[in-house]
Amino acid sequence: MEIVVLDDPRACGRAVADAVADVLARGTGRPPTLGLATGSSPLPAYAELVRRHRDEGLSFAGARAFLLDEYLGLPAGHPQSYREVIRRELTDHLDIDPAAVHAPDGTRADPAEAAADYERLLAACGPVDLQILGIGGNGHIGFNEPGSAFGSRTRVATLTERTRADNARFFDRPADVPHRVLTQGPATIMEARRIVLVATGAGKRAAVAATVSGPVTTDVPATVLRDHPRCTLVLDRAAAGERAGPVATGQVGAPGRGR
Ligand code: F6R
C-alpha cells in the first residue's frame, strides 16, 4: 500500500486527477474505465478534472465510468441519488458520453436483480483501470459496512446508523437518508487494476490508521485494500495524523514509495 500525504484537500484532488489523466493517456486498446466514488472526499478531484477538461483540453471521449454504489428507494433524478450527484459534479462538465456512465439502478423493483445486472455489466466491460474510493469514519469502502465479507460482490446492503448520520448533511432531514443501498462488494472493488483512496480531515484519522496499521479484518472493510497490488492512499495531513510507522510523501505512483 502506497501512502501519499499532501498539504490539503485541493492538493489531494490534484494527485487523484493526475492518476485519472494517466489512465486517459494510456491508450490500451480498450476504453479507459474509471470507477467513481461519491461523497465529499473526491469532490476536489472532480473539480480539478472539470478544470483540466475546460482549460487544458483533458478529454474523456471514449472513456467509461462505473459508480461504486447507489441508494435504494430514491426516485430517479433525486438530487442525492449518486447517479445524479456524479452527473452534476462531474460528467455533465466533461466530454464523456453520458451513456457510458453506469450506476447500479436503485429504482428497480427487484434490487437484487439490479445488483446482479451491474455485476454482469462490470464483468463484460471490466476491469476498472482506476477505482477512486473514499473511506467512511468506520472504515467502510463503497457502502460495505463493517462485517461485510471480503468475498462479497455487488449486492443490496444496509447502512449503519453512523453512516446514515454522517450522510444526513446531504439531505433535508436525517430521516430522509435511505436505509438500504446497492454497493459493489469488496471483491468487485479489488478487481480494479489500480485503486486510489482519498481521505481528508481529522474525522478520517482513526479509520485511516486502522486501514494502514491495524489487523486486516472485516471489522474495518478498507483493510481488504492491503492485499491489493496497486493501491494508493492519498491523505491530507489531518487525515494522516500521528500514527505508528513511517509516512511516505510524494507523487501518486512514484516508484519506491510502496509499503
Ligand atoms: C460513496 C462511497 C462512500 C464514501 C464514504 C466517505 O460513493 O462509496 O464509501 O466514500 O462514505 O464519504 P465522504 O467522502 O463524504 O466522507
Side-chain angles (χ1 to χ4, degrees):
M1 190 174 258
E2 175 193 35
I3 301 170
V4 174
V5 181
L6 300 168
D7 280 339
D8 53 38
R10 285 190 63 197
C12 293
R14 287 193 294 273
V16 175
D18 287 347
V20 171
D22 190 47
V23 166
L24 295 175
R26 213 179 289 143
T28 55
R30 56 186 279 276
T33 304
L34 302 170
L36 302 176
T38 324
S40 319
S41 306
L43 290 180
Y46 295 161
E48 174 65 9
L49 289 170
V50 169
R51 190 198 67 73
R52 289 187 195 187
H53 171 66
R54 190 188 57 225
D55 299 346
E56 297 170 8
L58 180 68
S59 178
F60 292 74
R64 286 189 295 223
F66 287 87
L67 273 64
L68 258 184
D69 42 16
E70 179 58 285
Y71 290 115
L72 277 177
L74 299 182
H78 186 286
Q80 292 311 326
S81 92
Y82 280 176
R83 175 180 271 287
E84 196 59 20
V85 171
I86 285 291
R87 188 189 63 70
R88 191 169 63 233
E89 299 291 343
L90 183 64
T91 55
D92 260 8
H93 312 284
L94 306 175
D95 57 348
I96 192 167
D97 177 1
V101 181
H102 304 282
D105 186 350
T107 67
R108 290 259 296 272
D110 183 343
E113 208 175 82
D117 283 351
Y118 200 60
E119 272 290 323
R120 272 192 287 273
L121 186 65
L122 273 163
C125 300
V128 164
D129 293 303
L130 173 68
Q131 177 64 57
I132 298 169
L133 293 178
I135 185 170
N138 62 3
H140 71 231
I141 51 170
F143 275 141
N144 295 286
E145 297 281 33
S148 301
F150 285 169
S152 60
R153 308 192 67 90
T154 305
R155 68 197 188 288
V156 177
T158 301
L159 296 181
T160 61
E161 284 310 307
R162 176 172 179 182
T163 299
R164 290 189 68 243
D166 283 349
N167 287 4
R169 68 191 190 281
F170 297 114
F171 288 81
D172 291 340
R173 289 179 304 262
D176 293 345
V177 184
H179 290 267
R180 296 199 313 154
V181 292
L182 289 169
T183 183
Q184 289 186 34
T188 323
I189 293 169
M190 288 289 278
E191 279 169 5
R193 286 193 168 138
R194 179 157 189 223
I195 295 177
V196 175
L197 183 151
V198 60
T200 55
K204 299 294 170 69
R205 190 176 294 175
V208 165
T211 299
V212 173
S213 315
V216 173
T217 165
T218 57
D219 292 346
V220 183
T223 58
V224 72
L225 302 173
R226 296 242 292 272
D227 285 331
H228 193 281
R230 263 192 104 196
C231 176
T232 304
L233 305 194
V234 176
L235 312 174
D236 70 353
R237 294 195 184 283
E242 299 210 353
R243 50 185 172 68
V247 173
T249 61
Q251 234 187 331
V252 177
R257 294 183 190 280
R259 57 182 232 168

